Amino acid sequence: SPTDINDMNLDQLKKEQSTRQTNVDNAQNNVNTVLSDIDEIKNGKYQDAKAAYDEAVENDENISDELKQRREENLKAIESTTGEIDSLNSQIAETEVSLNKANDKLDADNKTLSSLKSALSSYEGVSSDDPEEQRKIDQAKQEIQAQIDELENNTIPADEEECKRLDELLNGGGSSEGLKEQLQAKEEELETLQKEEDDIEKEILEACKNDPNSPVVKALEEFKAVEEELNTLRDKLPTAQEELTQALDELSEVNELIRTKEAEETETENMHYSGSLPDALVAELDAQLGSGFCAKLEE
């Protein structure tokens, strides 16, 4: 079997399509697994570690009320912002899959339209003296034209609108902000909040430095460890999403080739004879096979 998909026949392409669909499914499952693991830690270990840290800070008299308040507000802001980031990442992954499917459908419908127009053009000049045969020809042309009209007036415009909607949802358009732009803004916001958190932690540790048995130090270490575990998972997400995007692109590539080859086969099947035999050939055949043979052949 050729390794280059451009050299593959239709059966080989369909096997390759199945392989690439499996790659897409695996990549999608990987993204879902990372998102699921993030949610599990965020709603479990992270909350427990944060609660222990909150309690230790609240009960430590060495820490000022003003510092406690700043810390509480900053942690709430971080938790809210990371939640929004996780949600945006999930929406981006889902939208990219939907956009890929919508583009594939639009491409497929355009290929079908091209094939139908080719089939209709093959009827040009085709007619019959037999009324029943002519009725069948007219009916076939009407059916093909009806399919063309449906595609041009309804299906393809709807496909284009859906592709545009999903692309704008993902990348923005005009005055609207896309999911990717929103994500970038939230990541910048989170970076600022995390810098503030680092400054607050330094102040807290400074306030507790004279108390070697302070529970705040241990609680902070445990909280930071869980936070680091959560961030490590979040760092995996862009790579997982990039692998999904690549798998979708590779699937679209083979889908496009399949549509092209199927359209070529359909066009060949729908070709109708609409010309005339050369005069020299008519004379030779009629001489050998009987006068009028070529007239019947042309009909």
Side-chain angles (χ1 to χ4, degrees):
S1 176
T3 55
D4 188 338
I5 61 171
N6 293 297
D7 298 329
M8 293 181 181
N9 62 33
L10 193 53
D11 288 339
Q12 291 166 337
L13 281 170
K14 288 186 176 179
K15 289 180 182 178
E16 181 67 17
Q17 181 189 47
S18 177
T19 299
R20 295 192 180 196
Q21 181 62 59
T22 299
N23 293 341
V24 168
D25 294 341
N26 290 339
Q28 180 67 69
N29 288 337
N30 189 31
V31 170
N32 292 341
T33 298
V34 174
L35 289 169
S36 176
D37 290 345
I38 288 172
D39 282 341
E40 184 178 348
I41 292 179
K42 188 170 66 176
N43 297 321
K45 292 165 65 176
Y46 178 85
Q47 292 299 329
D48 294 340
K50 181 178 178 299
Y53 180 34
D54 287 347
E55 184 178 2
V57 171
E58 186 61 33
N59 294 332
D60 196 308
E61 296 180 354
N62 296 308
I63 302 172
S64 68
D65 290 341
E66 182 271 336
L67 185 54
K68 289 177 182 180
Q69 182 67 24
R70 277 174 56 205
R71 172 197 156 275
E72 183 179 354
E73 291 174 355
N74 195 66
L75 282 179
K76 282 182 179 179
I78 287 175
E79 193 169 354
S80 173
T81 304
T82 52
E84 291 175 289
I85 288 173
D86 292 340
S87 176
L88 285 167
N89 274 317
S90 181
Q91 290 178 65
I92 286 170
E94 291 175 4
T95 306
E96 284 182 331
V97 172
S98 297
L99 178 57
N100 184 273
K101 289 179 179 178
N103 280 322
D104 255 4
K105 184 177 184 305
L106 176 59
D107 289 344
D109 286 336
N110 275 317
K111 285 286 185 185
T112 301
L113 178 61
S114 177
S115 179
L116 287 168
K117 286 183 175 180
S118 178
L120 186 61
S121 69
S122 71
Y123 277 97
E124 290 179 7
V126 177
S127 61
S128 174
D129 294 333
D130 183 341
E132 179 59 22
E133 186 65 25
Q134 185 62 47
R135 185 191 67 79
K136 290 180 180 178
I137 292 171
D138 292 340
Q139 182 180 358
K141 290 167 67 177
Q142 289 171 5
E143 289 174 355
I144 293 173
Q145 186 62 58
Q147 293 178 66
I148 290 173
D149 291 343
E150 176 64 24
L151 282 167
E152 288 185 329
N153 299 327
N154 298 309
T155 306
I156 290 177
D159 290 346
E160 291 172 339
E161 187 62 32
E162 179 65 2
C163 289
K164 180 182 177 183
R165 183 188 72 81
L166 289 167
D167 184 70
E168 288 183 352
L169 178 61
L170 195 62
N171 301 306
S175 59
S176 63
E177 190 178 38
L179 291 171
K180 290 184 177 180
E181 291 176 291
Q182 295 175 44
L183 177 62
Q184 184 178 357
K186 286 297 174 184
E187 286 175 339
E188 291 171 357
E189 183 181 326
L190 179 61
E191 186 178 351
T192 301
L193 290 168
Q194 287 173 331
K195 287 180 180 177
E196 177 66 15
E197 181 190 12
D198 291 341
D199 292 340
I200 291 171
E201 286 172 2
K202 288 176 183 177
E203 291 183 50
I204 288 175
L205 291 174
E206 180 66 23
C208 300
K209 68 178 181 179
N210 295 324
D211 184 0
N213 298 318
S214 172
V216 171
V217 176
K218 182 179 179 182
L220 177 57
E221 287 177 355
E222 292 177 352
F223 175 69
K224 293 300 289 182
V226 175
E227 198 172 48
E228 183 64 28
E229 186 178 354
L230 196 53
N231 288 336
T232 298
L233 277 174
R234 288 192 173 109
D235 289 341
K236 290 181 179 180
L237 198 53
T239 301
Q241 288 175 322
E242 185 177 340
E243 289 172 353
L244 174 58
T245 300
Q246 182 177 346
L248 288 167
D249 289 343
E250 290 173 355
L251 178 62
S252 292
E253 182 184 25
V254 79
N255 284 345
E256 176 65 18
L257 274 175
I258 287 173
R259 282 193 292 268
T260 299
K261 287 187 179 292
E262 286 180 337
E264 288 171 354
E265 288 190 3
T266 301
E267 184 174 344
T268 301
E269 290 166 1
N270 287 334
M271 289 298 291
H272 293 272
Y273 174 76
S274 60
S276 299
L277 296 173
D279 292 341
L281 183 58
V282 170
E284 185 177 348
L285 289 174
D286 279 359
Q288 295 189 39
L289 300 172
S291 179
F293 171 80
C294 288
K296 292 179 181 179
L297 178 58
E298 286 182 351
E299 183 182 348

